[in-house]
Amino acid sequence: MTSIGGVEMVDWNLAVATATRFVRPGPDVSRDEARAVVAELRRHAKSSEEHVRSFTRMIPEGHEPQDTPVLVVDRAGWVKANVAGFRELLKPLLDKMQERRSGSPGGALVGAVGGKVTGVELGMLLSFLASRVLGQYETFAPATRELPAGQNGGGRLLLVAPNIVHVERELEVDPHDFRLWVCLHEETHRTQFTGVPWLRDHLEGEIQSFLGETEVDPMTVLERLREAAQSLSGARPEGEEDEGRSIVELVQTPAQREILSRLTAVMSLLEGHADFVMDGVGPDVVPSVAEIREKFQQRRARGASRLDQALRKLLGLDAKLRQYRDGERFVCSVVEEVGMEGFNRVWTSPNTLPTKAEIAKPADWVARVHRKAES
């Protein structure tokens, strides 16, 4: 992370510093235990490759996709990786906003103050998330010495060791089984991106299209945020109904909602597929998988506290929980009807990805992709 100061729209260094300062401390572990956890997670990540590839059959036999590194990180390491990814993804939008602001009176002063405020806000958000994420396939941050990546711009698999230890203790499950179970899920994501070469560019294109539709006039953005705050607080104009949307959804333009619908469908597919795979592989390699799955589902559903539930609603994280459930149901239904090879047609091109409506009605995807191909 290079020193940026307050001249950009977001003070990225301040975001990292804020998140690192306010993130919850991890579980108490000795140095020897920490080393053992890291070593075991690396072993499980390696063994998961063969399990996932054999089960999914996404990668043809004899074909070796580009390798991407496995990084076992702490909460601060997860924050730094995600800030680097956000900075890369948001650069075109922030450059546009910077250009717009530079011509306005007092633009430099507003930028210096605004960049620090935004940095603190982003840091607080990441401090909340950093203690909850077990693993992630991060694909957008550029490769650095601290954050290596695969060849040709590939990403890296992050396993957040303190969070994995915290959850396995909270659930009172076998730690060795739980660590392998988590690795199966995250390895599925790595297989998705390394086995489907166009997937990363497709997602980045959709995200850039979404950001490209963002209003760059500060007054317009403030007005949208004011309307969102009114909706969330119940202070809506008389006659308007609350649709129960998150603040993220409430500040969107109609064009952004269309793009978000496509992104939601893709994310539901990716998350549901990962859950389907780890449960499919689990019985053969994770003896206590049934117990782990039941306890983990209960934890997902209830949240850790009332504050967590409120923040999940505000940030749209409840939608992510639905993505796991709806996506897994889609994958199960399609595999049951057309088999794993038939399901894998989903990875043929962006045109064969399911729509949001098809995630809810898997038979419609089968009819569109399979019936059309057979006719």
Side-chain angles (χ1 to χ4, degrees):
M1 302 292 292
T2 58
S3 179
I4 300 171
V7 297
E8 290 195 9
M9 297 293 291
V10 180
D11 189 330
W12 299 106
N13 287 338
L14 184 57
V16 171
T18 301
T20 302
R21 178 181 178 184
F22 286 100
V23 70
R24 296 175 182 177
D28 290 331
V29 295
S30 67
R31 180 167 298 183
D32 288 343
E33 184 180 2
R35 288 173 177 165
V37 170
V38 170
E40 184 172 24
L41 287 172
R42 286 177 176 157
R43 290 197 305 272
H44 284 331
K46 183 63 179 176
S47 67
S48 293
E49 289 184 23
E50 181 56 34
H51 294 312
V52 170
R53 293 178 187 182
S54 176
F55 183 81
T56 63
R57 303 198 290 275
M58 289 179 61
I59 299 173
E61 189 174 349
H63 175 74
E64 190 64 27
Q66 62 165 320
D67 191 25
T68 53
V70 175
L71 306 179
V72 182
V73 299
D74 58 10
R75 292 169 177 175
W78 180 87
V79 167
K80 291 175 183 177
N82 277 269
V83 166
F86 285 148
R87 184 181 179 186
E88 186 73 11
L89 273 179
L90 295 176
K91 188 177 186 304
L93 171 65
L94 296 181
D95 285 349
K96 184 168 66 173
M97 295 182 74
Q98 177 84 12
E99 183 179 351
R100 179 77 171 263
R101 188 189 62 198
S102 62
S104 62
L109 177 61
V110 171
V113 175
K116 293 189 178 300
V117 170
T118 307
V120 170
E121 291 173 340
L122 177 59
M124 293 302 294
L125 170 61
L126 289 172
S127 73
F128 169 76
L129 296 174
S131 62
R132 287 156 176 78
V133 176
L134 301 182
Q136 174 188 359
Y137 187 77
E138 204 297 311
T139 184
F140 297 114
T144 64
R145 186 177 64 179
E146 293 183 352
L147 197 64
Q151 298 177 352
N152 303 319
R156 73 285 295 164
L157 179 61
L158 306 176
L159 296 171
V160 191
N163 296 350
I164 294 173
V165 172
H166 171 78
V167 174
E168 70 191 27
R169 290 179 178 179
E170 178 187 334
L171 298 182
E172 297 181 338
V173 294
D174 182 281
H176 308 292
D177 284 2
F178 184 74
R179 293 165 195 173
L180 176 55
W181 190 69
V182 170
C183 287
L184 289 171
H185 181 103
E186 303 307 333
E187 175 58 35
T188 303
H189 287 316
R190 183 162 69 154
T191 299
Q192 290 164 348
F193 280 91
T194 57
V196 184
W198 52 264
L199 183 57
R200 178 194 180 278
D201 289 342
H202 173 71
L203 276 178
E204 183 175 16
E206 290 281 61
I207 292 170
Q208 292 303 333
S209 295
F210 181 91
L211 296 175
E213 291 290 334
T214 300
E215 299 282 357
V216 294
D217 175 56
M219 293 308 295
T220 301
V221 174
L222 288 174
E223 179 63 20
R224 287 184 180 276
L225 289 173
R226 184 186 66 81
E227 292 173 358
Q230 285 182 344
S231 177
L232 290 166
S233 66
R236 299 179 304 281
E238 186 176 355
E240 292 189 10
E241 296 184 359
D242 179 13
E243 300 179 15
R245 292 180 293 172
S246 70
I247 193 170
V248 177
E249 294 173 296
L250 285 165
V251 298
Q252 292 164 9
T253 65
Q256 284 177 312
R257 292 192 186 105
E258 291 183 12
I259 299 168
L260 185 71
S261 178
R262 296 195 298 269
L263 279 170
T264 298
V266 175
M267 297 312 297
S268 295
L269 170 69
L270 299 181
E271 296 293 357
H273 183 234
D275 268 9
F276 175 80
V277 171
M278 73 180 187
D279 285 346
V281 174
D284 291 332
V285 297
V286 182
S288 59
V289 64
E291 177 192 2
I292 291 173
R293 181 61 153 158
E294 181 180 1
K295 290 183 175 181
F296 194 75
Q297 287 288 69
Q298 292 173 354
R299 182 181 186 273
R300 271 183 182 172
R302 68 175 180 264
S305 66
R306 293 183 64 185
L307 174 61
D308 275 6
Q309 291 173 5
L311 286 170
R312 287 192 330 192
K313 178 64 177 177
L314 180 67
L315 300 172
L317 298 182
D318 279 343
K320 184 173 178 63
L321 298 181
R322 289 194 298 273
Q323 287 173 8
Y324 287 107
R325 183 185 64 243
D326 297 344
E328 185 177 15
R329 187 182 299 120
F330 170 84
V331 177
C332 286
S333 297
V334 173
V335 171
E336 183 177 351
E337 184 167 350
V338 297
M340 187 66 75
E341 297 298 336
F343 165 77
N344 280 339
R345 288 193 188 180
V346 78
W347 313 115
T348 303
S349 75
N351 293 330
T352 56
L353 291 171
T355 64
K356 189 176 180 180
E358 288 171 340
I359 288 288
K361 294 183 178 180
D364 290 353
W365 180 86
V366 172
R368 176 172 67 87
V369 174
H370 283 266
R371 307 289 191 275
K372 183 177 180 181
E374 293 166 1
S375 61

